[in-house]
Structure formats: structure tokens, C-alpha cells
Amino acid sequence: MRQRLERLRQKALSLGVPSAEVEWWLGTVRPCAKLETYGDDGPVVGHLGRPLMLPPDAPDLPESLGLIATVDLAALPEAATHLPLPPDGRLLLFAEAEEMDIPGTALYVPAGTHLEERQQHLSWESELRGELRLVSDFSLADHKGADLLPHVGELGTAVRQVQREDGDFLGRPDLQIGGYAADDWASSDLVMKSRWSEGMAWLLDRPVGSGIPPPPEDLVLLAQWTSRIKDLMGATYYWTIARQDLAARRFDRTYVSQFWNP
């Protein structure tokens, strides 16, 4: 990764980006785990869609929520992300892909838990299939913050050049764990947008006098999924959580948002 970042630095400098801006930008780098269903390289760390395996005493989920992915955290190297994830167990990501009444949730199942298959009957479930293979990568802030990144166009060009040289996929991964969020317009930092939403959800979901929302710097992107479902092609979902809640395994405090420009 260090070698790749150095190449990125040199590309940006060659495109006329001032050194101070390049260094500030590279200082925002976060490692992330990009999980793909295509190809046969990289270890298998999870799968898209069914089966839904839950403890027998787990309450039923709202009928509108569907299982998007299951990630085996023991198969995910600790250095693959910047997140304080549990070292083992399974992370289950759920989303509403129809009415968006309940955008989604996340569930952590500790290792060694007895599991049974739970049936779901959603029209789009059959479109989610495939093993998720790990591609370790880095993630950079992706937004047109004119005051902070006046040369964001050149920086984006530098990233694409390095990606092409390395034979990287040009689209987004099926699932991303950690790193920064992104949207098709790249008009704002979706992590910051998620942070604002998480703060509002924190206020709305807790009784008056229970405290203030976690500060923005304490909130992180847990996961990002880009839909390949026919009727929701290209929609992107973001699971955001406060770092302290993640460390305490309070996945019930995960906030889910969606971006779609059909």
C-alpha cells in the first residue's frame, strides 16, 4: 500500500497539484476491505444474500428487511480496515430495498453461537448471490470540497491512472467494509452526511436529557453496498456507526441511509 500511495503522490504532483494539498489529501487515507463476487482471487470472507442464519431465540426482523450480506469477521484481517471490529463472529447487514420504511440495520452474531436458518420471502432475494472475496485497498475522501480540495479533479485523475495501471476494477465493489463512502455525483462527503444523519437519529431515538450525539469524528462508515438488484440498480446503502458503539459491539445503534440517482 505504501508503494501504491507513493505512486499516487507522484501522479498528483505531475498533474500540477500543490505538494501541501497532496499531503493533506494523502493524510486522510483509510484502509478498507473491498469485497467482490467476481474472480477467484482473494480469500472468501462472506457471501451475498441467503442463507439467513440466526440464533433460535433471535426476534423476527421486520418483513421488509432483507439480508444483504454476511461477513465472517475471523476471515477479515485486522489491518484490512481502520475499524475496531470484533476478531471473530459474523456481521449481518440488512436493508430495505423496496419502500425504505426501515432503511436497514446490522446484527453481530458472536462465534460459537448456535444458529438456525430463518426463512425470508422477498421478491429481490434471488438476485443476491455469490461468495465475497477480499481485496485489501485504501480509501480516500471523495468530495468536491472547493475550500479543502481545489484540485479535486486532478486528484481523481491520479487515482484513476493508478487504478488502471494496477488493473483495478473501475466500478465500486459489491460491498465495502470501512473507508469512506462515495456517491455518483461526488458532490459531498457521504461520511459526513451519514454523520449528520446519525446525530439526528441519536437525538430522535433517545429520551430528552439522555445526552448529546457523539461528535462527528467518532462516527465511521461500517459498510457500503451498491445494489445490483434489477429494480434498484445503482442504489447505494451506507451503514454508519459511532466508533465507541462499534468497539462495544452495539451494532443495534447502526444507522442506515441510501443514495440513489435513477
Side-chain angles (χ1 to χ4, degrees), residues 188-216:
S188 60
D189 182 346
L190 264 290
V191 170
M192 288 304 298
K193 190 174 291 184
S194 294
R195 287 171 174 174
W196 179 85
S197 300
E198 169 68 19
M200 292 301 295
W202 200 95
L203 285 173
L204 294 172
D205 292 344
R206 289 158 178 77
V208 175
S210 60
I212 60 174

Side-chain angles (χ1 to χ4, degrees), residues 2-221:
R2 285 193 296 270
Q3 292 177 350
R4 199 175 190 205
L5 288 173
E6 180 56 32
R7 288 165 50 215
L8 186 56
R9 174 183 285 106
Q10 296 306 319
K11 292 279 186 187
L13 291 172
S14 70
L15 292 170
V17 183
S19 176
E21 187 174 342
V22 173
E23 297 308 317
W24 182 91
W25 185 55
L26 293 180
T28 69
V29 165
R30 293 176 179 173
C32 67
K34 296 182 177 179
L35 310 185
E36 290 287 0
T37 56
Y38 71 84
D40 54 6
D41 295 332
V44 175
V45 298
H47 62 268
L48 288 178
R50 294 179 292 187
L52 171 57
M53 305 298 293
L54 294 174
D57 58 350
D60 290 332
L61 293 163
E63 292 183 0
S64 58
L65 287 184
L67 176 65
I68 301 302
T70 299
V71 180
D72 180 1
L73 296 177
L76 196 65
E78 182 179 357
T81 77
H82 67 298
L83 303 175
L85 292 167
D88 52 24
R90 290 178 171 85
L91 173 63
L92 279 62
L93 300 171
F94 298 87
E96 161 64 87
E98 293 175 351
E99 300 299 328
M100 288 299 293
D101 292 331
I102 306 172
T105 189
L107 177 66
Y108 170 64
V109 180
T113 303
H114 175 65
L115 302 175
E116 295 180 355
E117 185 171 356
R118 192 77 58 89
Q119 296 298 319
Q120 287 192 303
H121 304 284
L122 297 173
S123 61
W124 49 269
E125 279 190 301
S126 61
E127 300 182 55
L128 279 176
R129 287 288 184 274
E131 293 180 328
L132 289 167
R133 293 181 176 273
L134 171 66
V135 178
S136 295
D137 204 350
F138 60 81
S139 177
L140 284 158
D142 180 19
H143 62 96
K144 296 179 180 177
D147 295 335
L148 295 177
L149 298 176
H151 295 83
V152 67
E154 292 89 340
L155 293 170
T157 298
V159 170
R160 290 188 293 273
Q161 288 180 355
V162 171
Q163 287 177 330
R164 284 195 294 269
E165 290 173 358
D166 293 347
D168 283 1
F169 47 82
L170 296 181
R172 294 185 197 151
D174 288 307
L175 185 70
Q176 177 179 312
I177 306 296
Y180 289 95
D183 68 87
D184 290 331
W185 292 344
S187 58
S188 60
D189 182 346
L190 264 290
V191 170
M192 288 304 298
K193 190 174 291 184
S194 294
R195 287 171 174 174
W196 179 85
S197 300
E198 169 68 19
M200 292 301 295
W202 200 95
L203 285 173
L204 294 172
D205 292 344
R206 289 158 178 77
V208 175
S210 60
I212 60 174
E217 61 270 18
D218 288 342
L219 288 153
V220 293
L221 179 76

